[in-house]
């Protein structure tokens, strides 16, 4: 993990611009697959992670959260805000950045924008779950909610699960228009539909990623048929759900981290002891995923710190030997640790420090 | 708090180099005084702050901590590590960086190195406490421990408390040599001494800032006389103290935040219900500070998130209209919030985005 000695005071930083260039250079699908592989490998060693709850600072307008985790060798955290009222003011609802540090030295080793990276990891996570839970040979995905996450989900499911057709619906036709345009040369067959009902028709997988902070009913019970896999992304904080409770009662439910999902996920609608399975146990083979063709499986996704950690780990490897990062002079590093004051004083006279 | 609209995706960043230049441009004493004023003003409104405990991730080698706080309008946090074994490997024991964000939007508005800034705020905090607790017309300060914090303490006490003489002692004469050299043109009378005992002789204020992670006895009971003020900086985590317990029993003890100090400060040696006074209540006048000439006062300082917040607030103001920061492209900001994917795609074609 530790980068080259002697440059530890310089922290590699991936700006938004460099993140976009990196993605274009690697390819969106390829980078999602890389993150998915890292998530799978980290989920296999789930028990080696510190699973601290997120540290939230709530206000009238929104929330600012720190999401730390560590595997004992590498420490990571994400800063993320959630301010639903921001879009009305031309701002992002969610912005994020992340950091990795070397546990052995405590020195940060990566700082990065994380708004785009989070979109990639969320899609990667959904596809990893579907790999274990979706019906065999699933080819058609319905996507209700065509916002910022939509295209990333479509490409992740194409790459990782072999989806060939996506059916789009959003209450705002402009969102669907945007997704249609963005996916036109993706290799996917993309179909615009005019209602929730029409959208889910014939789908093997239903992805819901709508954004309103309210208990909504994007899917009602009659819309879900036997054998389908539901990938529920949008219900991710208290008071924000997308599925009718009856669907939950008919489904086998898989989650990231039960203590968090019971508060933030669709299952906040259920009793605290309603049985759920942890996805990491399915990945390790400890628990079964899909066991029959007519079972309804539900991945109740809320996003967990280990996924961000996996994305940061992937990025840390991906930027090596590229030009897609800057070096931030972020850590004071006097030659003599006790002479911090002297270091400041000597900054007035660059000749003296030139030999460093 | 909110900076200029339209540039919210760019976060002002103060590098180590710019921090040093800023300090040299303002002056070390002036900047410490500025931070001290901000601390005093923030301590007066203590109750308006979120006082979250720090979030620590412990390992064999050290600890990585996140220290968040918020006053409802501004949110701040500091990342700080503590790795005592680092110095043996030529690394810093402690590195830190900090961030401020606008609570209303959740957008970060400042990112900065915080190793140097923490040294300044620690000195400022000590001097603010002494302003309320030290004997009247104190002129002589003994400083046991002449490491990284030493010169900053000396200058803070000169500027804010009118100290004229500092008496230095460190078990390592090289550390004392360094401090003597660095303070030679400070306007202070600086005296090297050869023992703890000699150092404290005739001092109005005793500052202890030694660094070993162990229960040490830098000061024994017979070394402290009536009327002195003790500024105990070094005892700041479980198992790390500097004063003999008997001194504590004879002193009136003042602390930043009791729940934290009882775990991390000198008072970890005392019963959990041993009476202590909160410094903020002394500053507001709710509680008395020094009440007699022969009272021994002790500021059992461990460092609290609000002090970092004050330092960040000060810095945020101080860099305005200067060249001492860069703008980091840290927050993804698509023109259409739902079109994150389109933003990434368009990055391949800068002509299309040139009009932004």
């Amino acid at each position: 993990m530790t980068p080259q000695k002697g440059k530890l005071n310089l922290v590699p930083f991936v700006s938004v611009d460099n993140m976009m260039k990196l993605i274009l250079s690697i390819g969106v699908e390829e980078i999602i697959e890389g993150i998915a592989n890292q998530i799978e490998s980290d989920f296999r060693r789930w028990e080696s992670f510190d699973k601290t709850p997120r540290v939230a600072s709530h206000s009238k307008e929104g929330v600012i959260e720190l999401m730390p985790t560590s595997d004992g060798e590498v420490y990571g955290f994400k800063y993320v805000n959630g301010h639903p009222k921001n879009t009305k003011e031309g701002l992002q609802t969610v912005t994020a950045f992340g950091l990795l540090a070397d546990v052995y030295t405590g020195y940060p080793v990566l700082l990065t924008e994380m708004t785009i990276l989070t979109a990639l990891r969320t899609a990667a996570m959904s596809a990893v779950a579907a790999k274990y839970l979706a019906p065999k040979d699933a080819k058609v995905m319905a996507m209700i909610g065509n916002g910022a996450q939509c295209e990333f989900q479509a490409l992740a499911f194409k790459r990782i699960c072999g989806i060939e057709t996506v059916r789009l619906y959003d209450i705002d036709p402009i969102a669907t228009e945007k997704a249609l345009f963005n996916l036109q040369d993706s290799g996917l067959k993309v179909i615009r539909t005019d209602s929730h009902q029409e959208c889910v028709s014939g789908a093997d997988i239903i992805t819901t990623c709508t954004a309103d902070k309210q208990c909504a009913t994007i899917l009602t019970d009659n819309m879900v048929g036997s054998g389908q896999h539901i990938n529920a992304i949008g219900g991710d904080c208290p008071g924000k759900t997308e599925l009718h409770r009856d669907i939950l009662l008919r489904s086998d439910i898989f989650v990231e981290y039960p203590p968090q999902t019971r508060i933030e996920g669709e299952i906040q609608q259920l009793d605290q002891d309603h049985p759920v399975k942890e996805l990491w146990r399915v990945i390790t083979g400890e628990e079964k995923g899909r066991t029959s063709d007519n079972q309804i499986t539900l991945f109740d996704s809320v996003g967990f710190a280990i996924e961000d950690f996996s994305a940061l780990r992937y990025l840390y490897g991906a930027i090596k030997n590229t030009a897609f990062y800057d070096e931030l002079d972020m850590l004071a590093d006097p030659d003599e640790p006790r002479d911090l004051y002297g270091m400041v004083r000597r900054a007035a006279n660059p000749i003296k420090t030139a030999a460093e």
Side-chain angles (χ1 to χ4, degrees), chain A residues 21 77-78 325 335:
Chain A
K21 287 178 179 155
F77 82 85
K78 177 162 89 168
Y325 64 96
D335 291 339

Side-chain angles (χ1 to χ4, degrees), chain A residues 33-53:
Chain A
E33 187 173 31
I35 295 170
N37 290 340
Q38 186 71 50
I39 289 176
E40 244 187 286
S41 124
D42 287 337
F43 270 46
R44 278 184 206 284
R45 57 192 190 97
W46 183 267
E47 285 166 302
S48 63
F49 285 90
D50 251 3
K51 283 164 286 289
T52 327

